[in-house]
Amino acid sequence: MSPDAHLNELGEFLKVRRAELSPRTVGLPDTAGPRRVAGLRREEVAQLAAISTDYYTRLEQGRIQASAPVLDALAQALHLDDDQRNYLFSLAGKETARPRRRARQKVQPQLRRLLDDLTATPAIVMGRRMDVIAWNSLASALITDFGQIPEKHRNYVRILFTDPAMRTLYADWETVARTCVAQLRMEAAKYPDDPRLTALVGELSVQDPHFRKWWAAHHVATLSVGTKILRHPVAGELSLDWDTLTASTDPDQQLVIWTAEVGTPTHDGLRILASWAADRHPMAPTD
């Protein structure tokens, strides 16, 4: 088979595979009205794979070659099984070896002990992709009950964009969300072949126009320090300073803490919140 024939076959293969899927199959809302053709739209596949619609269109038309990372993102977006994935890579003339799977992150013991000791300070531990891998009771009372979120969805950026309560909790949700997208961009630079990060970007790009716009802007930022205003239904308005500490044994684990100066209304509000959380249901910290 000639190179052009391979490209044409790859394009046809992609068309057939996306025609077999529905928005519901890949976890997308089907709110765009009647569909002229079966399956996913080109722009939906492109967004799930975190590539441009034009790039994906040219792939389907057999006009360009795809890189291995793009092929891997498409294999995940289209829910290909191992045989289908191997066939896709074979058509593109690429090696079929999967990217090395990283072990599930577990919170470092010293961070776990510190979280347990921070009874009056909300704190979480974020890992790769800004996944929330540990938290204390006060963080659950302040932000959300992380323990009720399935582990695969326990990602700070995902929560920020998909939980409607976050848009009222943060007084300036847009600035907070923009910053988180820029921080996620830094994660993508560190792990460009991470399939879970690619899937997260694709999902949020399809579901939220704000995320799609801000991701396309390519702004970057790192977790550091700042101040956030929260409007909490129990503790009222809180002006919290936040800071991050990086684990020396695992630079991909960062402790994020929210504090307030003693004697301020926010400090008093945190004490009220801690008491309310303890009375309501003592929550054992979880990771």
Side-chain angles (χ1 to χ4, degrees):
M1 189 181 292
S2 69
D4 286 346
H6 275 100
L7 290 180
N8 290 333
E9 176 61 22
L10 186 147
E12 289 300 317
F13 183 69
L14 292 174
K15 289 179 190 177
V16 173
R17 297 285 78 79
R18 72 176 170 90
E20 294 175 340
L21 299 174
S22 68
R24 180 175 297 181
T25 304
V26 295
L28 300 177
D30 191 5
T31 57
R35 291 174 178 255
R36 292 179 299 166
V37 295
L40 298 177
R41 296 183 174 93
R42 282 175 174 172
E43 57 265 31
E44 290 171 331
V45 176
Q47 288 167 351
L48 285 169
I51 59 178
S52 72
T53 302
D54 178 66
Y55 185 93
Y56 178 74
T57 299
R58 286 185 288 157
L59 279 175
E60 276 203 359
Q61 293 172 343
R63 293 161 53 195
I64 58 171
Q65 287 275 7
S67 66
V70 167
L71 292 172
D72 200 66
L74 287 171
Q76 180 157 333
L78 293 170
H79 291 207
L80 302 187
D81 60 28
D82 286 343
D83 288 341
Q84 292 170 330
R85 181 182 182 279
N86 289 339
Y87 181 66
L88 180 69
F89 273 69
S90 178
L91 288 174
K94 305 295 183 185
E95 294 292 330
T96 59
R98 290 180 178 272
R100 181 177 60 87
R101 290 188 179 273
R102 296 180 178 88
R104 174 181 174 268
Q105 277 186 296
K106 294 183 178 180
V107 65
Q108 294 293 302
Q110 61 270 34
L111 291 185
R112 175 75 276 168
R113 290 193 295 270
L114 183 55
L115 278 176
D116 293 341
D117 288 341
L118 293 175
T119 57
T121 301
I124 63 175
V125 176
M126 285 203 291
R128 293 188 295 269
R129 301 174 294 271
M130 299 178 70
D131 289 343
V132 178
I133 59 175
W135 59 92
N136 63 9
S137 295
L138 195 50
S140 284
L142 177 68
I143 306 298
T144 189
D145 189 351
F146 295 106
Q148 295 301 310
I149 301 172
E151 182 181 353
K152 65 179 181 179
H153 292 157
R154 204 178 291 150
N155 174 277
Y156 200 83
V157 183
R158 189 182 192 280
I159 294 167
L160 195 61
F161 278 89
T162 61
D163 185 347
M166 295 297 101
R167 303 189 186 227
T168 55
L169 176 64
Y170 286 103
D172 188 358
W173 176 87
E174 182 170 323
T175 296
V176 173
R178 279 176 180 266
T179 302
C180 278
V181 173
Q183 291 164 345
L184 191 64
R185 263 285 176 197
M186 292 294 288
E187 290 294 301
K190 289 163 60 180
Y191 302 109
D193 299 331
D194 185 336
R196 287 186 57 187
L197 196 151
T198 299
L200 173 67
V201 170
E203 175 193 0
L204 295 180
S205 294
V206 172
Q207 291 186 0
D208 194 285
H210 290 101
F211 181 93
R212 184 163 60 248
K213 176 183 176 182
W214 298 334
W215 184 260
H218 287 262
H219 295 307
V220 294
T222 56
L223 284 169
S224 54
V225 298
T227 300
K228 289 185 173 69
I229 307 296
L230 278 66
R231 293 172 178 157
H232 196 276
V234 172
E237 184 168 299
L238 305 170
S239 178
L240 292 164
D241 298 321
W242 62 277
D243 201 349
T244 56
L245 304 172
T246 300
S248 59
T249 52
D250 183 356
D252 282 335
Q253 291 192 28
Q254 294 182 304
L255 176 71
V256 183
I257 58 174
W258 290 268
T259 61
E261 188 176 350
V262 175
T264 62
T266 294
H267 185 264
D268 294 339
L270 285 178
R271 295 177 64 186
I272 292 170
L273 184 61
S275 177
W276 171 82
D279 291 341
R280 184 179 173 86
H281 44 71
M283 291 182 291
T286 309
D287 60 41

